[in-house]
Amino acid sequence: MYYYINWITGKPVNRVTNIIGQLVNRGIGKFLQRRTMETIQGTIEKIVYRNEENGYVIAKISMDRNEEKISTIVGNMASINIGETCELKGEWVNNPKYGWQFSFSDYQLILPTSLLGLKRYLSSGLIKGVGPATADRIVKQFGDKTLEVLENDLQRLTEVEGIAEKRVEMISKSWEEHKEIKRVMIFLQSYQITTGYAVKIYKTYGNKAIEKLKENPYRLVDDVFGIGFKIADKIAQNLGIEATSPARIKAGIKYILNELANQGHCYGIVTEIIKYGSELLEVEELLVEKALSILKNNREIIVEEDRVWLPLYYFAELEVSKKLIELLKFPQQLFNINVQKKLKYLEKKYRLSFAEEQKNAINKVLLNRVLVLTGGPGTGKTTTTLGLIELFEELKLKIVLAAPTGRAAKKISETTSRKAKTIHRLLEYSPKSGTFIKNSGNPIKTDVIILDEVSMIDILLMNSFLKAVSPGTTLILIGDVDQLPSVGPGNVLKDIIDSETIPVVRLTRIFRQDQRSLIIVNAHRVNEGKYPVLKGERERDFYFIEEEDPQIAAQKIINLCTVRLPSNYKIDPVSDIQVLSPMYKGEAGADNLNYSLREALNPKGKEIKYGNHSFRVNDKVMQIKNNYDKEVFNGDMGRIKNIDTEEHILEVNFYGKKVCYDFSELSELVLAYAITVHKSQGSEYQIVIIPVMTQHYLLLQRNLLYTGITRAKEMVILVGTKKALWIAIKNNKTFHRNTSLKERLKNR
């Protein structure tokens, strides 16, 4: 045992110890590698690695007061902060690569006792309002009585220089919250639930978290962002809920329907749900059928023939079809205006010439309460919209312009020189009530609504929007039906057009001035299934860089963003260039490119780590969840302007609007130097770079490539292989979505 202890502590070892070590490392005498269970105690000095998904931790701890003996610990821990003292139960293991480590299976947190430990503990980021400088002042003021003050007499913190009453309130709240989170985390850790999820659960339920989980763990799926059925099911089974429990099977069915919604479907097929439910839950199909019947009787799902809906999507489709027909059938107003004369005036004013298609669109609006205007880039959607606006203004009608995202609203505002709002802002979302203030009882007061980028709008948002449109309002829906459909469920624009119930004007002619742009020419060629033009004038706006090796392709993309393009054009490589990848994974996928580009474009700066991710000041980020309280939405992009480790606040600038995130909310943000094509909808960028590799085979499809190309204003650069490019162009099998809006419109 003497040699073993010396070996671990790093003190001088003799020849016998070295021989034993060599034998172990060669795999001889393996019994020496694993020892009997021991208990050690130490203070966390450094967190080497922490996986928020499974709670696995690699950390450095000091095992004596002088902090000379530093050892490595590995294992699963619900929560860990620098400066915390732990009592660990486990065994010493000799890792062939990293040497001796203490692998623990059980642990207990002990509050630190040394002054240095207290400083590190308080400044580790666990208490809002206390950073390194404040922690130092607190410990200097109270010494070894610091924890006693925090536990029993927080008001005394005002004795510390720089801590006012307001900050004491913040520290007090955070300290109490921290203690409760610890309690919840330790409870969840006993059921193998990770730190990241424990924080989210506590944020949702507060002090009632444990009580609510014991009552019904499946409520997590509906209540906590980021926790799906599988995690809730894991908690439930660890809490002792039977695999055949009706509550579990009902939750499983709802999970399947929600997963279908995440894939764009509004409903599922009964037989498929029974089959998949049986496989997923590992129960007999008969039990799934019974659970379906219970859910139907409780009106938790709606079943018609062979289709199953969650009520949210069923009524959304029903109401959208009903409202569109109601608007369409409202008696049309008779306008006393000479349209031809007005159009000639506009042509002279803006030095343009309206095509017959555009004149047809403008005339149709005067004859119909609802109209769809669709067409690809360069076909005159913007010019037609401007003509309609001028016409309505001549008639003294009140006009509202709107779009689904901030980026899309900004775009239509710039092209028309009129104010435009996001749909959420137009409907006046109330964070307090969690609903839109504008609705059927309090409609939007206007004569005309022009809604752009309708291909992006899912069935739920369209339903909320139409509820607030009063009968007699003229509604113009504008969008490119050939782009990718909405991220959310439904295929609204395509279903409306395919129903042949709502009047549609499709613009197809590319205007002469746009025929010089290879971006526009090639977007249409791709949409028609033709190979793009890759040669032309030296100063062209569309390039193809051939590269078969994904790793080299990724390096070329990084070189384009950091060297070639910024040196040849007066551009900001972060703001003006956007890399759009078909998928997240792979060397040329969005994830890998994101971190490589970040290291090249923003290598230094104040940084905060969140799980396996990190954010730096000046990073380009994207919001990935609709947050109505902050008024930022899925796909909004911004730049990190400040990270406050004292207040636990990260500040992002979205289009000139400052939005603050608590560190616990950082799962809503991702880096955005490279994003997927799906996330780019409704946006425009100066320069777009798209990797087109055969490793992206699963997502190489025509409408995805077309959408990516049409995001660029000044230049498109494709990097990849001609084979992959052809695969994408020839693959016109758009992903089928289960929707019933088209049928409902036809049958009304």
Side-chain angles (χ1 to χ4, degrees):
M1 195 63 181
Y2 168 76
Y3 296 115
Y4 171 70
I5 293 171
N6 270 350
W7 208 352
I8 297 304
T9 59
K11 291 179 180 178
V13 291
N14 62 22
R15 188 168 174 271
V16 175
T17 304
N18 282 333
I19 291 168
I20 294 171
Q22 289 169 23
L23 289 172
V24 171
N25 287 335
R26 289 173 187 168
I28 302 168
K30 289 185 180 177
F31 67 91
L32 289 171
Q33 270 191 289
R34 300 185 72 82
R35 300 283 164 174
T36 54
M37 293 287 285
E38 292 185 42
T39 300
I40 66 169
Q41 187 171 310
T43 302
I44 303 297
E45 298 294 327
K46 181 182 179 183
I47 299 168
V48 179
Y49 173 79
R50 172 166 52 191
N51 187 326
E52 292 289 344
E53 297 300 314
N54 58 24
Y56 181 74
V57 167
I58 302 172
K60 298 285 186 182
I61 66 167
S62 59
M63 292 174 60
D64 67 4
R65 293 193 174 217
N66 297 322
E67 301 181 6
E68 291 177 355
K69 295 193 309 186
I70 302 293
S71 300
T72 301
I73 61 167
V74 296
N76 290 76
M77 192 174 276
S79 175
I80 185 171
N81 290 287
I82 292 169
E84 286 187 314
T85 301
C86 310
E87 184 179 273
L88 307 159
K89 289 181 181 179
E91 53 196 2
W92 292 100
V93 177
N94 187 17
N95 185 297
K97 186 174 180 181
Y98 300 107
W100 285 95
Q101 301 174 332
F102 190 77
S103 177
F104 65 89
S105 55
D106 194 14
Y107 73 96
Q108 186 176 349
L109 296 177
I110 301 167
L111 290 173
T113 53
S114 73
L115 295 185
L116 187 58
L118 281 166
K119 284 180 194 175
R120 286 179 178 167
Y121 179 65
L122 294 176
S123 64
S124 64
L126 61 93
I127 301 170
K128 190 181 288 189
V130 179
T134 307
D136 189 53
R137 292 198 300 272
I138 291 172
V139 174
K140 271 184 182 176
Q141 178 74 26
F142 301 114
D144 57 10
K145 295 188 183 298
T146 299
L147 288 175
E148 187 183 323
V149 170
L150 288 170
E151 283 286 345
N152 305 315
D153 197 2
L154 274 162
Q155 279 303 120
R156 287 194 63 194
L157 289 176
T158 54
E159 298 171 22
V160 179
E161 183 189 348
I163 299 183
E165 197 72 41
K166 189 175 180 183
R167 179 160 288 201
V168 170
E169 287 177 25
M170 182 193 298
I171 293 171
S172 174
K173 183 181 176 185
S174 185
W175 178 255
E176 289 303 315
E177 199 172 86
H178 166 70
K179 288 197 297 183
E180 187 59 31
I181 287 173
K182 286 283 185 191
R183 187 176 75 89
V184 173
M185 283 180 175
I186 290 166
F187 168 80
L188 292 173
Q189 176 66 13
S190 65
Y191 295 106
Q192 289 80 51
I193 305 306
T194 67
T195 306
Y197 291 129
V199 172
K200 288 182 178 181
I201 290 167
Y202 178 78
K203 287 283 182 185
T204 303
Y205 301 128
N207 295 346
K208 294 184 177 179
I210 295 172
E211 175 191 330
K212 286 187 177 291
L213 288 186
K214 285 181 176 178
E215 182 186 300
N216 178 16
Y218 293 106
R219 70 193 308 155
L220 290 168
V221 180
D222 296 322
D223 296 347
V224 184
F225 173 68
I227 295 186
F229 171 79
K230 290 183 180 179
I231 296 166
D233 195 38
K234 182 180 176 183
I235 297 173
Q237 290 187 46
N238 286 328
L239 284 169
I241 291 177
E242 294 288 334
T244 55
S245 160
R248 177 175 182 260
I249 299 170
K250 287 190 292 181
I253 291 168
K254 286 184 177 180
Y255 163 73
I256 292 167
L257 289 170
N258 275 310
E259 281 298 291
L260 286 170
N262 290 337
Q263 295 167 24
H265 301 291
C266 290
Y267 64 83
I269 305 298
V270 172
T271 52
E272 292 174 3
I273 288 170
I274 291 171
K275 183 175 182 296
Y276 181 49
S278 172
E279 292 170 0
L280 172 74
L281 303 168
E282 296 180 343
V283 297
E284 293 179 7
E285 289 189 0
L286 184 62
L287 291 176
V288 182
E289 284 187 58
K290 285 181 179 177
L292 265 173
S293 182
I294 294 168
L295 286 169
K296 180 185 175 183
N297 291 337
N298 292 342
R299 300 292 289 173
E300 292 178 70
I301 61 170
I302 292 171
V303 181
E304 282 185 359
E305 298 176 351
D306 65 340
R307 300 176 182 184
V308 186
W309 284 266
L310 288 169
L312 190 66
Y313 304 115
Y314 176 85
F315 289 110
E317 285 192 313
L318 196 66
E319 291 302 316
V320 167
S321 62
K322 181 181 174 184
K323 191 57 184 275
L324 283 172
I325 297 300
E326 179 188 343
L327 290 170
L328 185 67
K329 289 184 176 178
F330 196 88
Q332 185 63 11
Q333 187 176 349
L334 295 174
F335 296 114
N336 184 22
I337 187 171
N338 188 327
V339 177
Q340 296 306 316
K341 186 178 178 182
K342 182 63 180 175
L343 290 177
K344 283 180 181 177
Y345 164 75
L346 292 175
E347 287 177 328
K348 187 176 179 181
K349 179 181 176 181
Y350 291 106
R351 295 180 183 178
L352 54 81
S353 177
F354 286 109
E356 286 304 313
E357 289 175 334
Q358 294 174 303
K359 291 177 182 177
N360 179 34
I362 292 167
N363 278 308
K364 265 195 172 183
V365 168
L366 298 178
L367 298 172
N368 298 279
R369 287 287 186 181
V370 184
L371 178 82
V372 174
L373 179 64
T374 187
T379 57
K381 291 197 301 294
T382 301
T383 308
T384 307
T385 304
L386 195 57
L388 287 167
I389 291 169
E390 292 267 1
L391 198 65
F392 291 133
E393 286 176 346
E394 178 79 13
L395 292 164
K396 309 295 184 190
L397 298 178
K398 186 179 178 183
I399 309 158
V400 167
L401 302 180
T405 67
R407 295 165 297 163
K410 186 180 177 185
K411 179 181 158 189
I412 192 173
S413 185
E414 288 170 349
T415 56
T416 63
S417 300
R418 269 82 169 176
K419 187 179 177 182
K421 294 182 178 181
T422 62
I423 295 174
H424 294 86
R425 190 173 288 277
L426 178 65
L427 299 180
E428 298 177 21
Y429 180 79
S430 166
K432 191 174 181 181
S433 65
T435 58
F436 293 111
I437 292 173
K438 293 294 182 185
N439 50 43
S440 55
N442 180 29
I444 302 161
K445 293 177 181 177
T446 188
D447 300 305
V448 180
I449 300 176
I450 298 176
L451 188 59
D452 199 14
E453 295 287 359
V454 177
S455 63
M456 293 180 65
I457 302 175
D458 63 36
I459 194 68
L460 297 181
L461 186 56
M462 181 57 86
N463 184 36
S464 296
F465 166 73
L466 288 175
K467 279 180 181 176
V469 179
S470 57
T473 303
T474 296
L475 177 61
I476 303 164
L477 305 173
I478 303 172
D480 187 345
V481 74
D482 295 317
Q483 286 184 22
L484 290 168
S486 59
V487 174
N491 208 347
V492 174
L493 182 61
K494 188 175 187 302
D495 282 353
I496 290 172
I497 292 171
D498 290 350
S499 73
E500 299 179 345
T501 305
I502 307 296
V504 176
V505 174
R506 186 185 284 268
L507 303 176
T508 56
R509 176 191 160 190
I510 304 175
F511 283 80
R512 188 177 301 166
Q513 65 269 26
D514 291 316
Q515 290 174 5
R516 294 191 295 270
S517 167
L518 280 181
I519 295 175
I520 289 171
V521 169
N522 284 337
H524 285 274
R525 287 183 67 84
V526 166
N527 200 33
E528 293 162 8
K530 298 174 184 175
Y531 201 74
V533 176
L534 301 178
K535 293 181 180 179
E537 298 174 8
R538 182 177 176 84
E539 297 300 317
R540 63 187 187 274
D541 59 4
F542 197 102
Y543 296 87
F544 178 74
I545 297 173
E546 193 160 9
E547 180 52 61
E548 190 170 349
D549 187 314
Q551 196 168 358
I552 297 173
Q555 290 169 357
K556 286 185 176 180
I557 290 169
I558 293 160
N559 182 256
L560 281 165
C561 293
T562 58
V563 181
R564 290 177 63 183
L565 291 171
S567 63
N568 288 313
Y569 304 91
K570 291 180 180 178
I571 58 168
D572 177 346
V574 178
S575 300
D576 298 333
I577 302 173
Q578 186 60 57
V579 177
L580 303 178
S581 182
M583 60 196 299
Y584 288 104
K585 295 180 180 178
E587 289 93 335
D591 286 342
N592 183 55
L593 287 170
N594 237 326
Y595 284 97
S596 299
L597 285 166
R598 197 268 288 274
E599 290 310 308
L601 294 168
N602 189 29
K604 297 178 181 177
K606 196 170 186 180
E607 183 174 299
I608 175 72
K609 290 194 174 181
Y610 178 80
N612 296 330
H613 306 287
S614 64
F615 295 107
R616 290 178 191 154
V617 171
N618 290 323
D619 267 345
K620 184 179 185 179
V621 292
M622 174 183 279
Q623 175 80 11
I624 58 169
K625 173 200 175 190
N626 285 342
N627 189 319
Y628 300 104
D629 294 345
K630 299 182 190 297
E631 290 192 345
V632 285
F633 305 101
N634 192 352
D636 283 351
M637 293 173 76
R639 297 281 287 272
I640 296 175
K641 290 302 174 188
N642 186 39
I643 296 173
D644 188 333
T645 52
E646 294 264 336
E647 305 289 340
H648 291 203
I649 295 293
L650 181 144
E651 182 186 312
V652 182
N653 183 0
F654 288 101
Y655 320 110
K657 183 177 84 169
K658 183 177 83 171
V659 179
C660 292
Y661 294 80
D662 185 89
F663 285 177
S664 65
E665 300 173 313
L666 295 182
S667 60
E668 295 184 18
L669 294 173
V670 294
L671 291 179
Y673 297 93
I675 63 174
T676 62
V677 178
H678 285 84
K679 289 289 187 184
S680 72
Q681 288 172 270
S683 299
E684 275 193 335
Y685 314 99
Q686 299 296 107
I687 298 173
V688 164
I689 302 173
I690 308 173
V692 188
M693 313 296 298
T694 50
Q695 69 171 175
H696 296 153
Y697 182 84
L698 288 173
L699 284 174
L700 288 178
Q701 55 193 50
R702 188 185 298 175
N703 63 348
L704 185 139
L705 181 61
Y706 171 76
T707 301
I709 291 170
T710 56
R711 299 307 89 206
K713 289 198 283 188
E714 294 183 8
M715 186 182 296
V716 170
I717 302 172
L718 306 180
V719 181
T721 66
K722 290 179 179 177
K723 180 183 178 182
L725 190 54
W726 261 122
I727 290 170
I729 292 166
K730 292 298 179 185
N731 180 12
N732 197 31
K733 294 178 182 177
T734 54
F735 179 71
H736 172 74
R737 293 187 168 198
N738 293 339
T739 66
S740 61
L741 180 60
K742 174 184 167 182
E743 296 168 43
R744 294 186 189 281
L745 284 168
K746 274 192 165 190
N747 295 332
R748 284 196 173 271

